Tab-separated table of all heavy atoms in Angstrom:
chain	number	residue	atom	x	y	z
A	222	GLY	N	20.521	-17.203	-58.564
A	222	GLY	CA	21.637	-17.846	-57.649
A	222	GLY	C	21.057	-18.353	-56.301
A	222	GLY	O	19.863	-18.112	-55.992
A	223	GLY	N	21.908	-19.056	-55.685
A	223	GLY	CA	21.518	-19.558	-54.309
A	223	GLY	C	22.656	-19.340	-53.312
A	223	GLY	O	23.779	-19.520	-53.618
A	224	ILE	N	22.230	-18.796	-52.110
A	224	ILE	CA	23.196	-18.454	-51.120
A	224	ILE	C	22.858	-19.210	-49.792
A	224	ILE	O	21.636	-19.368	-49.433
A	224	ILE	CB	23.113	-16.945	-50.825
A	224	ILE	CG1	23.381	-16.191	-52.030
A	224	ILE	CG2	24.146	-16.576	-49.678
A	224	ILE	CD1	24.837	-16.065	-52.634
A	225	MET	N	23.849	-19.726	-49.168
A	225	MET	CA	23.726	-20.313	-47.831
A	225	MET	C	24.577	-19.512	-46.823
A	225	MET	O	25.767	-19.342	-47.018
A	225	MET	CB	24.139	-21.702	-47.889
A	225	MET	CG	24.063	-22.529	-46.744
A	225	MET	SD	24.377	-24.273	-46.896
A	225	MET	CE	25.989	-24.288	-47.780
A	226	SER	N	23.993	-18.980	-45.705
A	226	SER	CA	24.725	-18.211	-44.761
A	226	SER	C	24.598	-18.785	-43.347
A	226	SER	O	23.612	-19.034	-42.863
A	226	SER	CB	24.233	-16.785	-44.718
A	226	SER	OG	24.224	-16.181	-45.990
A	227	PHE	N	25.804	-18.855	-42.718
A	227	PHE	CA	25.906	-19.421	-41.408
A	227	PHE	C	26.316	-18.309	-40.334
A	227	PHE	O	27.134	-17.588	-40.585
A	227	PHE	CB	26.936	-20.427	-41.269
A	227	PHE	CG	26.878	-21.690	-42.135
A	227	PHE	CD1	27.178	-21.746	-43.417
A	227	PHE	CD2	26.267	-22.861	-41.495
A	227	PHE	CE1	26.962	-22.899	-44.180
A	227	PHE	CE2	26.068	-24.051	-42.246
A	227	PHE	CZ	26.402	-24.034	-43.559
A	228	GLN	N	25.519	-18.432	-39.276
A	228	GLN	CA	25.762	-17.362	-38.121
A	228	GLN	C	25.278	-17.982	-36.899
A	228	GLN	O	24.091	-18.503	-36.765
A	228	GLN	CB	24.914	-16.039	-38.357
A	228	GLN	CG	24.812	-15.190	-37.127
A	228	GLN	CD	25.901	-14.168	-37.115
A	228	GLN	OE1	26.414	-13.672	-38.136
A	228	GLN	NE2	26.396	-13.794	-36.006
A	229	GLY	N	26.144	-18.293	-35.936
A	229	GLY	CA	25.762	-19.107	-34.744
A	229	GLY	C	25.242	-20.371	-35.089
A	229	GLY	O	25.817	-21.112	-35.957
A	230	ALA	N	24.125	-20.890	-34.572
A	230	ALA	CA	23.584	-22.165	-34.856
A	230	ALA	C	22.590	-22.085	-35.958
A	230	ALA	O	21.775	-23.067	-36.164
A	230	ALA	CB	22.897	-22.690	-33.519
A	231	VAL	N	22.357	-20.975	-36.559
A	231	VAL	CA	21.388	-20.786	-37.600
A	231	VAL	C	21.995	-20.775	-39.047
A	231	VAL	O	23.055	-20.147	-39.184
A	231	VAL	CB	20.484	-19.536	-37.346
A	231	VAL	CG1	19.464	-19.246	-38.503
A	231	VAL	CG2	19.833	-19.689	-36.055
A	232	VAL	N	21.346	-21.359	-39.955
A	232	VAL	CA	21.758	-21.212	-41.296
A	232	VAL	C	20.523	-20.720	-42.186
A	232	VAL	O	19.421	-21.061	-41.940
A	232	VAL	CB	22.257	-22.633	-41.931
A	232	VAL	CG1	21.144	-23.616	-41.886
A	232	VAL	CG2	22.791	-22.448	-43.379
A	233	ARG	N	20.874	-19.806	-43.010
A	233	ARG	CA	19.836	-19.139	-43.776
A	233	ARG	C	20.106	-19.401	-45.335
A	233	ARG	O	21.207	-19.286	-45.829
A	233	ARG	CB	19.896	-17.620	-43.651
A	233	ARG	CG	18.916	-16.790	-44.488
A	233	ARG	CD	18.989	-15.334	-44.225
A	233	ARG	NE	18.498	-14.485	-45.199
A	233	ARG	CZ	18.007	-13.314	-45.110
A	233	ARG	NH1	18.097	-12.789	-43.884
A	233	ARG	NH2	17.538	-12.690	-46.054
A	234	PHE	N	19.038	-19.849	-45.923
A	234	PHE	CA	19.113	-20.126	-47.424
A	234	PHE	C	18.367	-19.103	-48.188
A	234	PHE	O	17.207	-18.981	-47.976
A	234	PHE	CB	18.544	-21.533	-47.677
A	234	PHE	CG	19.200	-22.746	-46.982
A	234	PHE	CD1	18.743	-23.096	-45.642
A	234	PHE	CD2	20.300	-23.452	-47.539
A	234	PHE	CE1	19.305	-24.062	-45.024
A	234	PHE	CE2	20.876	-24.403	-46.819
A	234	PHE	CZ	20.389	-24.822	-45.494
A	235	ASN	N	19.026	-18.544	-49.206
A	235	ASN	CA	18.374	-17.497	-50.098
A	235	ASN	C	18.339	-17.999	-51.462
A	235	ASN	O	19.469	-18.170	-52.076
A	235	ASN	CB	19.148	-16.252	-49.986
A	235	ASN	CG	18.946	-15.471	-48.730
A	235	ASN	OD1	17.885	-15.462	-48.236
A	235	ASN	ND2	20.018	-14.940	-48.198
A	236	LEU	N	17.320	-18.057	-52.104
A	236	LEU	CA	17.185	-18.307	-53.594
A	236	LEU	C	16.916	-17.045	-54.261
A	236	LEU	O	15.862	-16.333	-53.905
A	236	LEU	CB	16.049	-19.305	-53.792
A	236	LEU	CG	15.930	-19.688	-55.380
A	236	LEU	CD1	17.089	-20.264	-55.896
A	236	LEU	CD2	14.688	-20.601	-55.513
Side-chain angles (χ1 to χ4, degrees):
I224 304 285
M225 181 171 53
S226 302
F227 293 87
Q228 169 94 29
V231 176
V232 58
R233 176 179 161 155
F234 299 90
N235 289 317
L236 181 61

